[in-house]
Amino acid sequence: MEVVILEKEHMARNRQEEQMSYPIKVALIGFFGGLIWSLIGYFTFYFHFIRVGPALALMPFALGDWKDTYIGQLVGVAVISVLSIGVAFLYRLILQKINKIWVGIGFGLVLWLLVFYVLNPIFPGLKSVQNLDLNTIITSICLYVLYGTFIGYSISYEYAEQQRNV
């Protein structure tokens, strides 16, 4: 009797998993990747390992001084989580077929270069890389690499699973 119940639960779980489409999985990976790694970024900012927190995402907008408070940091976490959905779809578009950890690491490094070099002028509170302290540079690179690895490996894994089940 117990075996039959466990089999039914397993079958129901499999059906539910099959019902979730690949684009929805990519969106969830992006959202939770942004949420997890920006919360860790806030943790590193709070304990002064890094000089810029998640509120950096709000810097291009004139929203007032509240964005420099912990509320601003938490709103920054939410904004990064939503923006991360787009980043995940970008990864899906370009690199989903490559199931190697190095691709995710490289993706994270490219994102770091994009934010800290290319997009630096639109962030008024962000100093140039040459003027940042070493702790901020190393910690932010590590966060971006881990974020890129999370996004990249998760999406590549889901793509491989989708191809295997077809």
Side-chain angles (χ1 to χ4, degrees):
M1 182 71 171
E2 195 172 313
V3 173
V4 173
I5 293 172
L6 289 175
E7 284 182 26
K8 286 182 181 179
E9 287 177 8
H10 182 67
M11 288 173 62
R13 230 179 301 128
N14 283 345
R15 262 187 263 124
Q16 182 181 11
E17 190 173 298
E18 289 173 9
Q19 290 174 355
M20 192 181 306
S21 68
Y22 180 59
I24 291 174
K25 288 180 181 179
V26 170
L28 287 173
I29 289 168
F31 179 80
F32 284 107
L35 180 67
I36 292 165
W37 293 106
S38 61
L39 282 172
I40 293 172
Y42 178 54
F43 175 81
T44 61
F45 173 75
Y46 183 79
F47 287 106
H48 305 290
F49 291 111
I50 192 170
R51 296 207 187 265
V52 290
L56 176 69
L58 305 174
M59 290 300 165
F61 310 103
L63 300 172
D65 291 337
W66 66 269
K67 66 184 175 185
D68 296 326
T69 66
Y70 76 95
I71 298 288
Q73 298 297 333
L74 294 178
V75 171
V77 167
V79 168
I80 290 170
S81 299
V82 172
L83 289 174
S84 185
I85 295 171
V87 171
F89 277 103
L90 177 68
Y91 188 93
R92 175 190 176 202
L93 181 70
I94 300 171
L95 301 166
Q96 74 179 350
K97 294 180 181 179
I98 307 171
N99 197 7
K100 303 279 186 213
I101 198 167
W102 296 107
V103 176
I105 291 170
F107 184 71
L109 286 172
V110 168
L111 288 175
W112 185 86
L113 290 170
L114 182 72
V115 169
F116 283 85
Y117 278 103
V118 177
L119 298 177
N120 188 295
I122 70 166
F123 297 117
L126 182 62
K127 296 178 184 176
S128 66
V129 175
Q130 294 79 9
N131 294 326
L132 289 173
D133 62 297
L134 196 57
N135 283 342
T136 298
I137 293 170
I138 292 172
T139 304
S140 62
I141 287 174
C142 289
L143 285 172
Y144 275 78
V145 163
L146 289 169
Y147 169 75
T149 304
F150 179 88
I151 294 288
Y153 212 68
S154 299
I155 290 173
S156 295
Y157 175 81
E158 285 300 330
Y159 176 77
E161 285 294 307
Q162 178 192 21
Q163 296 304 311
R164 191 175 66 135
N165 291 334
V166 171

